Amino acid sequence: MSQEIEIPIVIVGGGGCGLTLSSFLSNYGINHVLVEKHLTTSILPKAHYLNQRTMEILRNHNMVDEILQKTCPPRHMSQVAWQTSLGGTGPMDRKVIHKFECFGGNEGTDYAETYRRDAPLRSGNLPLFRLEPILRKLAENRNPGKILFGHHMVEFTDEGSGVKVKIVDQEGKETVYRCQYLIGADGGRTIGPQLGIKMEGLTNITDMVSVHFSADLSRYWDDRYFACHFINGECGTVFESGAIVPMGPNWGKHSKEWIFHFGFAMDDEKRHDESALVPRIRELLKIPDLVMDVHKISHWAIERVLADRYRVGRVFVAGDAAHRRPPTTGLGLNTAIEDSLNIAWKLAMVLNGKASKEILDTYESERRPVGRVNCDWGLFTFSNSAVINTAVGLVPGQKEANRLRFQTLFEDSDKGRSFRAQVARIIDSQAIEFCAHGIELGFRYSDGLFMHDGSVPTERDPLGLKYYPTTCPGNRLPHAWIEKDGNVMSTHDLVQAQTAFAVITDQHGQAWVEAANTIAKRFGVTIVSAQVGDNAQYRDYDDRWSLLSGIQPGGMVLVRPDNIVAWRSIFKSQHNGSELQEIFELLLPQKMNGTCTSQNGQNAVKGINGYRE
């Protein structure tokens, strides 16, 4: 006879998405259990790039210390290159076709300053098989005995008032959990299909083969490279020649482990001949005697798919269960962690009785459009690499013609120099993959749990390279350093690891502070008030908040627990801060007489985005 346990939330899936969701819920004081059918975390490198938004989220939830100890330093992930080979002694070997700075570049440059200025941390680089054990340990420490690896979900039933979830462990023992909400972070393998959720988009675009191995490449590797792609005319196109990426645990030229990615057409039978992969890597690198210890060879199909729904009843999907895209720009895990944070704080507000369950509808209205943008961007940047083939003039299967093109490319003549300059210009277009600062930090919600203030949306870079900080509602709160009592902190630290809102104003905004105190008592929510400016509670440490706040003296910015701007008043309150109370009545509708309404009787959720000053 199976044991029955009542618990507010069940998470299915113990990858990066599920593990971070667990830690967020623990921080918010929400009881839950996580089940994962595998006994261990991932044994594959898979995702490894952690963008600045992810790093600041993990920092905000006190999850980043060990990651910072083990991640790749900025110098060793500051350039991306296209070369003919790493080794070899021929006239076309070891030649750099082109390279450029990526992910903010090396410290001390103007490019690095833009990344340092826009977020409290730089990007990280840590392969999943090193990252997930850290995330698992954090989740287990915060939720002891309820992070259950080696447990398989066999069935679930949404009964309307709750969800019944049957779990079986390795010994076949059954446990039935009765929860209020079920979260599918299972990669889309079980929960989504059972709900009838359709993954819309392109599938089986190509077969990627990844070879994870150990080798000593210290004689050949440039310390600054995040990745190196190969084009030499002898081994096919850029896609076929592949790329190599260091995997640590040491970094730069002293990396002990590496991963080599190849692409194959789905109908190419050679993709199944794994015995040919190691000789092919040696051939591409032009290091025929390279000693390689192969750990794992994996195949995965490139696709661009998006769930048609992120929620069915009391069941939600997140991460790869909701969206999958090519790995270019590294938007998979990063998008998943943002999904986890979005649903975590909203569930916490509902389960703690701070808001009606209708706010959970905004998970899909906010995250699905971002998922679509990131799926499209991944495919866009993946497809753009074909332009490099065209620029060089590579033709699949025409080895001799391709070799002659490379002779021309490196010819010491005006024609050769013009050819190289044009190829470099085309390769620079791949900055949309490796320098997507605007995509990583500049996402915005157009519909969801925030109030439009009537302002015109901020400029966006169509190439995704530039980030324009803004406090326009629905955008990420701009980072700026502020100081109080000698302690320097980020504007993002005001809501650190709690379901708190923040009111940011200046010395002229006392009415907002007093209103926030009244609202906090009435709604039972935490609101942190920060007056920033001259002769104020907080000092504008770098004089940057005054440039980014977007408000006039006495104005105010309201920030959600996930550091998204919920509302702002550009000008000083005209009604002793009562405008803020009306906003909260709409943002966090309370249950009154069994109906989700605001104090004025309007349907709050439907009215959220219709409010105007």
Side-chain angles (χ1 to χ4, degrees), residues 201-433:
L202 300 173
T203 60
N204 293 326
I205 297 171
T206 192
D207 180 41
M208 290 298 294
V209 180
S210 298
V211 181
H212 175 209
F213 64 96
S214 293
D216 181 3
L217 293 173
S218 58
R219 291 173 50 199
Y220 310 98
W221 190 254
D222 189 311
D223 249 357
R224 298 164 294 180
Y225 285 1
F226 169 82
C228 184
H229 305 78
F230 297 104
I231 324 174
N232 58 30
E234 298 177 10
C235 298
T237 63
V238 177
F239 185 62
E240 296 165 323
S241 296
I244 188 171
V245 184
M247 290 286 108
N250 303 323
W251 296 102
K253 64 183 180 181
H254 297 296
S255 178
K256 294 180 180 178
E257 297 179 31
W258 307 81
I259 194 161
F260 210 112
H261 298 296
F262 301 97
F264 290 89
M266 295 302 292
D267 59 355
D268 188 344
E269 290 302 318
K270 289 186 294 184
R271 65 194 175 101
H272 298 299
D273 185 6
E274 295 187 349
S275 64
L277 292 178
V278 169
R280 182 173 174 80
I281 290 172
R282 293 189 177 115
E283 179 187 10
L284 284 164
L285 297 178
K286 294 292 184 73
I287 311 175
D289 57 349
L290 181 67
V291 177
M292 297 173 60
D293 180 11
V294 176
H295 305 299
K296 183 71 174 178
I297 296 174
S298 55
H299 292 252
W300 41 289
I302 296 288
E303 54 187 342
R304 179 265 172 231
V305 292
L306 178 70
D308 64 347
R309 291 167 291 170
Y310 275 30
R311 176 189 186 183
V312 178
R314 289 180 171 269
V315 186
F316 300 83
V317 294
D320 281 358
H323 43 76
R324 298 189 290 274
R325 83 260 4 102
T328 44
T329 318
L331 293 172
L333 177 61
N334 293 294
T335 308
I337 290 174
E338 182 73 25
D339 289 346
S340 295
L341 179 62
N342 190 286
I343 192 59
W345 77 266
K346 292 173 182 176
L347 284 168
M349 295 293 291
V350 171
L351 292 170
N352 286 329
K354 308 301 183 184
S356 169
K357 64 183 181 181
E358 278 77 6
I359 72 166
L360 299 177
D361 292 336
T362 65
Y363 168 65
E364 179 174 318
S365 66
E366 291 182 350
R367 294 306 302 163
R368 188 169 183 272
V370 172
R372 179 188 296 112
V373 168
N374 289 351
C375 281
D376 290 341
W377 197 264
L379 182 60
F380 173 49
T381 54
F382 177 77
S383 302
N384 190 73
S385 61
V387 177
I388 299 173
N389 291 330
T390 304
V392 178
L394 297 179
V395 180
Q398 296 189 14
K399 189 172 182 178
E400 181 60 22
N402 292 340
R403 187 183 64 79
L404 293 174
R405 290 289 291 176
F406 264 82
Q407 286 184 355
T408 305
L409 180 65
F410 291 105
E411 188 177 282
D412 185 17
S413 64
D414 288 343
K415 182 173 73 171
R417 283 184 281 274
S418 295
F419 192 5
R420 288 193 296 277
Q422 175 66 357
V423 168
R425 190 165 71 97
I426 297 302
I427 291 177
D428 276 338
S429 72
Q430 203 60 26
I432 58 176
E433 174 183 356

Side-chain angles (χ1 to χ4, degrees), residues 77-98:
M77 53 180 290
S78 61
Q79 292 185 0
V80 60
W82 284 256
Q83 290 190 191
T84 57
S85 68
L86 288 186
T89 58
M92 295 292 108
D93 294 335
R94 298 195 182 199
K95 290 189 176 295
V96 177
I97 300 166
H98 190 53

Side-chain angles (χ1 to χ4, degrees), residues 464-541:
L465 305 178
K466 296 179 181 179
Y467 163 61
Y468 297 96
T470 177
T471 59
C472 185
N475 285 265
R476 165 189 173 269
L477 175 71
H479 154 73
W481 296 111
I482 55 178
E483 180 187 18
K484 180 184 179 184
D485 300 330
N487 297 316
V488 179
M489 59 192 294
S490 170
T491 46
H492 283 224
D493 295 333
L494 294 171
V495 297
Q496 189 169 32
Q498 56 181 324
T499 48
F501 288 78
V503 163
I504 308 178
T505 182
D506 59 16
Q507 63 269 33
H508 306 291
Q510 186 61 30
W512 298 118
V513 175
E514 294 174 359
N517 292 335
T518 300
I519 293 164
K521 293 176 182 177
R522 177 184 168 191
F523 283 80
V525 298
T526 301
I527 305 177
V528 178
S529 296
Q531 293 176 273
V532 183
D534 297 334
N535 302 314
Q537 174 190 26
Y538 290 83
R539 184 168 71 93
D540 189 356
Y541 188 72

